[in-house]
Amino acid sequence: MDKEQAFVCMMERHEKELLRLCCVYLKDVNMAEDAVQETFLKAYKGMDAFRKESSEKTWLIRIAVNVCRDMRRNAWFRFVDRRVDLEKMQIPQSHALLLSVMELPRKQMEVVLLYYYERMTQKEIASMLGLSDVSVSKRLQKARQRLREEWEGGGTDERG
């Protein structure tokens, strides 16, 4: 199989899950489509340098997360209406929970998406994001706590 055929197969295997990841990360379907295109463009350019130290999926997710980060850093990103059509994303989990995840701080949202939605291990996430295993664990703990508080009504003691 030549490089072009291998690339087309890779796109077919991973396009939908990358689109879901980018949609949640960017909160905008059109921007997510652009991010996926940019991800595959960078992947194609870097295919020869890919050393296969991680899985193809992990490599693509790392590229996609970096592309999404770059897009979020752009000054106009804050001023764009980023309403997401959750039906288009085909995410089977509760829509309300997904919306809560999307509202987490970026660092927490990243690890939650990679851990729960992409089913990556903490070690894989740490390697991908250039963090320690402890940092990933702490971010997951903080995210879980924040979500728990939101879903359980803040976790305050009502006895007064």
Side-chain angles (χ1 to χ4, degrees):
M1 184 180 315
D2 67 359
K3 181 179 178 179
E4 284 75 23
Q5 289 174 322
F7 182 70
V8 169
C9 289
M10 181 174 61
M11 285 179 56
E12 290 171 353
R13 275 192 305 275
H14 302 290
E15 183 178 21
K16 286 183 181 178
E17 64 188 335
L18 288 176
L19 183 59
R20 281 192 300 266
L21 175 72
C22 293
C23 275
V24 173
Y25 201 103
L26 296 169
K27 304 174 188 174
D28 182 280
V29 175
N30 293 323
M31 288 180 71
E33 289 170 347
D34 291 346
V36 171
Q37 285 182 344
E38 181 70 18
T39 297
F40 282 125
L41 179 63
K42 288 181 179 212
Y44 184 77
K45 289 178 179 179
M47 277 181 78
D48 294 332
F50 178 47
R51 296 175 296 198
K52 299 189 176 34
E53 292 174 356
S54 64
S55 71
E56 178 181 274
K57 176 183 172 181
T58 301
W59 179 62
L60 288 170
I61 289 173
R62 182 178 198 148
I63 295 170
V65 166
N66 287 331
V67 167
C68 289
R69 282 179 176 173
D70 290 345
M71 291 176 85
R72 286 181 66 129
R73 282 187 197 115
N74 196 328
W76 65 267
F77 181 83
R78 293 173 287 174
F79 302 108
V80 175
D81 180 15
R82 296 180 308 276
R83 283 179 256 167
V84 177
D85 182 352
L86 296 174
E87 296 302 321
K88 285 185 181 178
M89 291 171 42
Q90 302 172 349
I91 295 176
Q93 287 82 1
S94 162
H95 293 337
L97 179 57
L98 179 60
L99 290 172
S100 295
V101 169
M102 292 168 71
E103 296 303 318
L104 288 170
R106 181 189 56 82
K107 291 178 179 183
Q108 293 173 15
M109 180 185 63
E110 283 177 353
V111 295
V112 167
L113 290 175
L114 297 173
Y115 188 76
Y116 290 105
Y117 291 86
E118 296 301 328
R119 307 249 188 259
M120 296 176 72
T121 67
Q122 289 185 28
K123 186 178 270 327
E124 290 172 324
I125 296 168
S127 174
M128 175 187 293
L129 298 178
L131 301 170
S132 69
D133 293 351
V134 173
S135 293
V136 171
S137 179
K138 285 183 180 181
R139 288 182 185 185
L140 279 171
Q141 286 176 347
K142 286 180 182 179
R144 287 181 194 123
Q145 181 62 34
R146 191 177 193 126
L147 291 169
R148 188 177 303 118
E149 288 173 1
E150 181 178 334
W151 282 79
E152 293 176 357
T156 58
D157 187 358
E158 295 179 1
R159 288 179 279 167

